[in-house]
């Protein structure tokens, strides 16, 4: 009876988690470490939904008082812990001490069983919030804000990147607040919200990975064509960059050395662009930087910064750009002009070095 009722109450959640699991089985883009963490999150959300269902079924049943208060401690503890694990999985570069605040919240929740500092049960087995009753939700909210901040920090400013992050923030915050706005019977909304938010972000992450060059992490040729079709009237400059001497490195030192050279140069370009412009690897050693609504002096400064950064390495590159004052030039025309300027600089480089191509 209870199993049937649980399935009926959580059918959408079960379908989302099942679909998420099937998607993870078939994915080839993500690291195995990330996939394992997502599997763990799926299991944890499912188990938490069972705990929430069982705990609320015991509401008002005095004979289950001791069991219910333990389930409450688990539910209160799981809320910030679950969000912390999402941050650990989704936001890059997180360390183990991210879980320290969640661990403190967990300790307080279990201390609350005898003390009532976070929650307690009255004689009718009804929930009574203690002095720190909102602490688990506050902790989950802080973790959620930190997660959205990390996602926003990495986004490129394009609408296609912004919308999923805004959705994630809205869905996550609604999952935390709806039980307080609508009523405690909607507490299970939190599990469904977490599941849907994770799945949407997973789809978003996959789409991002298909647009990335696996070697350098820069955007790829497919992304270049897609992005330059998006509001092309705002693109008024293109910068073409080509590495000098990659073939010689591959022939003399091996392709591993060539890959290292390309990743080093990609880092130089990223540092020069400072997240203002999108950088694409469109060929073996060919890169294009797309500039929107910029001034010509900004493009000149970008080209200079690229040369300065690359000069600090043992490699070199040639740079050319095309700037359209009126914005009336087509993308293809701008790219042709930008490439011509870049190749002119490359010819000067080879002439100065006495290299015959």
């Amino acid at each position: 009876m209870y199993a049937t009722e649980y399935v009926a109450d959580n059918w959408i959640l079960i379908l989302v988690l099942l679909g998420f699991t099937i998607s993870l089985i078939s994915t080839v883009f993500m690291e195995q470490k990330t996939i394992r963490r997502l599997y763990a999150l799926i299991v944890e959300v499912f188990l938490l939904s069972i705990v929430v269902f069982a705990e609320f079924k015991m509401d008002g049943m005095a004979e289950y008082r001791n069991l219910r208060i333990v389930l409450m401690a688990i539910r209160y503890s799981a809320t910030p812990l679950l969000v912390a694990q999402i941050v650990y999985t989704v936001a890059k570069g997180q360390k183990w001490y991210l879980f320290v605040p969640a661990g403190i919240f967990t300790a307080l929740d279990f201390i609350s069983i005898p003390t009532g500092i976070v929650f307690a049960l009255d004689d009718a087995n009804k929930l009574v919030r203690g002095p720190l009753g909102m602490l688990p939700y506050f902790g989950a909210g802080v973790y959620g804000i930190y997660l959205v901040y990390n996602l926003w920090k990495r986004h490129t400013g394009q609408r296609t990147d912004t919308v999923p992050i805004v959705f994630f923030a809205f869905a996550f915050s609604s999952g935390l607040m709806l039980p307080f706005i609508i009523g405690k019977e909607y507490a299970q909304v939190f599990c469904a919200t977490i599941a849907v938010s994770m799945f949407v972000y997973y789809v978003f992450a996959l789409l991002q990975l298909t647009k990335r060059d696996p070697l350098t992490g820069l955007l790829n040729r497919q992304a270049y064509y897609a992005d330059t079709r998006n509001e092309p009237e705002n693109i008024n400059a293109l910068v073409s960059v080509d590495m000098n001497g990659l073939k010689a490195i591959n022939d003399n030192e091996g392709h591993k050395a060539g890959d290292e050279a390309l990743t080093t140069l990609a880092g130089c370009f990223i540092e020069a662009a400072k997240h203002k412009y999108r950088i694409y690897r469109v060929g073996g050693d060919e890169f294009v930087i797309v500039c929107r609504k910029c001034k010509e002096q900004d493009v000149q400064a970008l080209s200079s910064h690229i040369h300065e950064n690359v000069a600090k390495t043992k490699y070199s590159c040639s740079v050319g750009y095309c700037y359209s004052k009126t914005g009336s030039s087509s993308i293809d025309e701008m790219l042709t002009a930008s490439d011509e300027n870049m190749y002119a600089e490359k010819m000067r480089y080879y002439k100065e070095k006495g290299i015959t191509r």
Side-chain angles (χ1 to χ4, degrees), residues 74 76 154 159 217:
I74 294 173
Y76 272 67
R154 286 159 42 194
R159 186 171 61 246

Side-chain angles (χ1 to χ4, degrees), residues 224 235-240 288-290 320-322 331 334-335 338:
Y224 169 78
I235 301 174
N236 61 340
L238 293 179
V239 180
S240 296
V288 176
I289 303 175
V290 174
Y321 74 85
C322 175
I331 300 299
M334 291 175 65
L335 183 61
S338 178

Side-chain angles (χ1 to χ4, degrees), residues 323-343:
Y323 176 79
S324 175
K325 293 181 180 179
T326 61
S328 58
S329 300
S330 71
I331 300 299
D332 289 342
E333 290 172 342
M334 291 175 65
L335 183 61
T336 298
S338 178
D339 282 346
E340 288 175 353
N341 292 331
M342 180 270 294
Y343 282 120

Side-chain angles (χ1 to χ4, degrees), residues 154-176:
R154 286 159 42 194
H155 101 301
T156 60
Q158 294 285 304
R159 186 171 61 246
T160 52
D161 291 351
T162 303
V163 171
I165 297 174
V166 172
F167 169 81
F168 190 92
F170 168 75
F172 187 84
S173 59
S174 67
L176 283 176

Side-chain angles (χ1 to χ4, degrees), residues 152 230 312:
W152 189 264
N230 180 28
K312 298 174 184 176

Side-chain angles (χ1 to χ4, degrees), residues 14 42 57 75 94 115 147 153 159 271 295 300:
I14 293 169
I42 289 171
K57 277 296 170 186
R75 176 168 68 89
Q94 302 302 311
T115 65
L147 173 59
K153 188 170 63 173
R159 186 171 61 246
E271 173 62 26
K295 299 177 181 178
Q300 292 171 341

